[in-house]
Amino acid sequence: MIELIDFSKTYFSQRKTENPAVSDISFLCPDSSVTGLVGENGSGKSTILKAVSANHYATKGKVLVSDREGNVFDASDKPEKIKRICGYVPEFPVLPVEMKVSDFLLYVASLFFDDRKLAEKALEEAAVKCSMESVLNKKIKTLSKGFRQRVSFAQALISDPSILVLDEPFSGLDPAQIIQMRNLIQEEAKNKSVLLSTHNLSEVHNLCNLVLVMKNGKLAAKGTEEEIIKNTDSRSFEEAFLKL
């Protein structure tokens, strides 16, 4: 479960002027589901994802995340706990390009598992899920964008988190890779709460149980695709998005 309650985030420039990124956002992402954040560049999607994954904190309001046992944690109070139960995949993977894939994933696994055999098993399972066994012995710098995206996804899955946060997971992928990524997200959503941002409105139809539409740092609409289409008196989600 992910819940935002009156969440606002303001950035401050070097001149100490305020730059509000998002204001008064409230929503609930249920377990075993995919929630999609949709909006134009600069609408506040990444700001929300970073707050949910405890990569920055609310200026006002709360960001709450629960584990599989139902324990609820405030991201501002328990960032270390959030980072252990939340897998985060940024739009542009930040990876140690000189390392071999297997060495990097083993390092990530060792942060969660003290026993080396358990860490190796977690690595192997993540590699299979992401269909990247063939590149484990390659240096990350030699990989295509699609495989680098898989490495980033694998590091997020390696601890089997209860929460999965994905920032534009389809960016730069070819059609075959998009299908593979979509299937992987659907599989992971069976036992995780998945929150993703996307520019690709077709993925709303393909993946999302709940849709959150962001406009200028505000939540312009939330509901299922069908509800948003109906509430805006539209014929398609694309038309509804343009009306909001």
Side-chain angles (χ1 to χ4, degrees):
M1 182 274 298
I2 302 166
E3 185 174 12
L4 270 63
I5 303 172
D6 298 326
F7 170 76
S8 297
K9 179 66 179 179
T10 299
Y11 297 104
F12 295 89
S13 69
Q14 291 182 339
R15 297 181 180 180
K16 297 184 179 180
T17 56
E18 295 186 2
N19 298 297
V22 297
S23 301
D24 302 316
I25 304 294
S26 296
F27 62 79
L28 176 69
C29 304
D31 296 329
S32 302
S33 68
V34 178
T35 299
L37 271 174
V38 182
E40 299 169 350
N41 288 335
S43 61
K45 303 188 304 297
S46 292
T47 295
I48 290 172
L49 298 185
K50 289 177 181 177
V52 171
S53 55
N55 284 291
H56 64 197
Y57 309 112
T59 304
K60 188 188 77 172
K62 290 183 176 294
V63 178
L64 306 176
V65 177
S66 68
D67 61 16
R68 288 194 177 92
E69 287 69 45
N71 302 304
V72 179
F73 305 97
D74 187 317
S76 295
D77 295 336
K78 300 288 185 181
E80 300 87 358
K81 184 65 178 179
I82 299 298
K83 288 178 184 295
R84 295 192 71 85
I85 64 174
C86 178
Y88 174 56
V89 181
E91 180 178 2
F92 303 106
V94 181
L95 301 168
V97 295
E98 294 297 332
M99 291 184 74
K100 290 200 313 184
V101 173
S102 58
D103 291 339
F104 170 61
L105 293 180
L106 185 60
Y107 166 74
V108 174
S110 70
L111 299 177
F112 297 96
F113 303 96
D114 294 329
D115 185 280
R116 184 179 176 87
K117 288 185 178 180
L118 291 178
E120 290 174 346
K121 181 180 178 183
L123 183 164
E124 291 170 3
E125 291 176 350
V128 170
K129 283 183 178 180
C130 297
S131 302
M132 48 180 290
E133 304 99 305
S134 63
V135 301
L136 286 176
N137 290 319
K138 293 184 178 181
K139 284 192 173 183
I140 294 172
K141 68 180 182 182
T142 68
L143 303 182
S144 66
K145 178 175 175 56
F147 269 113
R148 291 192 189 200
Q149 189 83 332
R150 294 190 205 187
V151 173
S152 186
F153 214 104
Q155 64 81 26
L157 294 178
I158 214 157
S159 65
D160 190 25
S162 57
I163 305 295
L164 196 55
V165 176
L166 312 174
D167 196 352
E168 297 291 347
F170 307 102
S171 177
L173 301 184
D174 63 35
Q177 292 168 336
I178 288 173
I179 293 171
Q180 291 172 339
M181 183 65 70
R182 185 191 304 151
N183 292 339
L184 178 57
I185 292 170
Q186 289 173 327
E187 186 64 28
E188 290 303 309
K190 292 178 180 179
N191 68 347
K192 292 176 176 58
S193 182
V194 179
L195 176 62
L196 66 85
S197 71
T198 181
H199 286 105
N200 191 336
L201 298 185
S202 67
E203 293 309 327
V204 170
H205 176 73
N206 291 323
L207 274 175
C208 299
N209 308 103
L210 175 68
V211 186
L212 310 168
V213 181
M214 297 292 298
K215 288 289 179 82
N216 300 317
K218 298 279 190 178
L219 188 58
K222 62 181 175 180
T224 64
E225 179 186 16
E226 292 78 12
E227 288 170 344
I228 293 174
I229 291 171
K230 180 179 179 181
N231 291 340
T232 56
D233 193 24
S234 302
R235 291 168 295 179
S236 67
F237 184 75
E238 288 79 2
E239 181 181 338
F241 179 78
L242 293 173
K243 284 183 176 180
L244 290 168

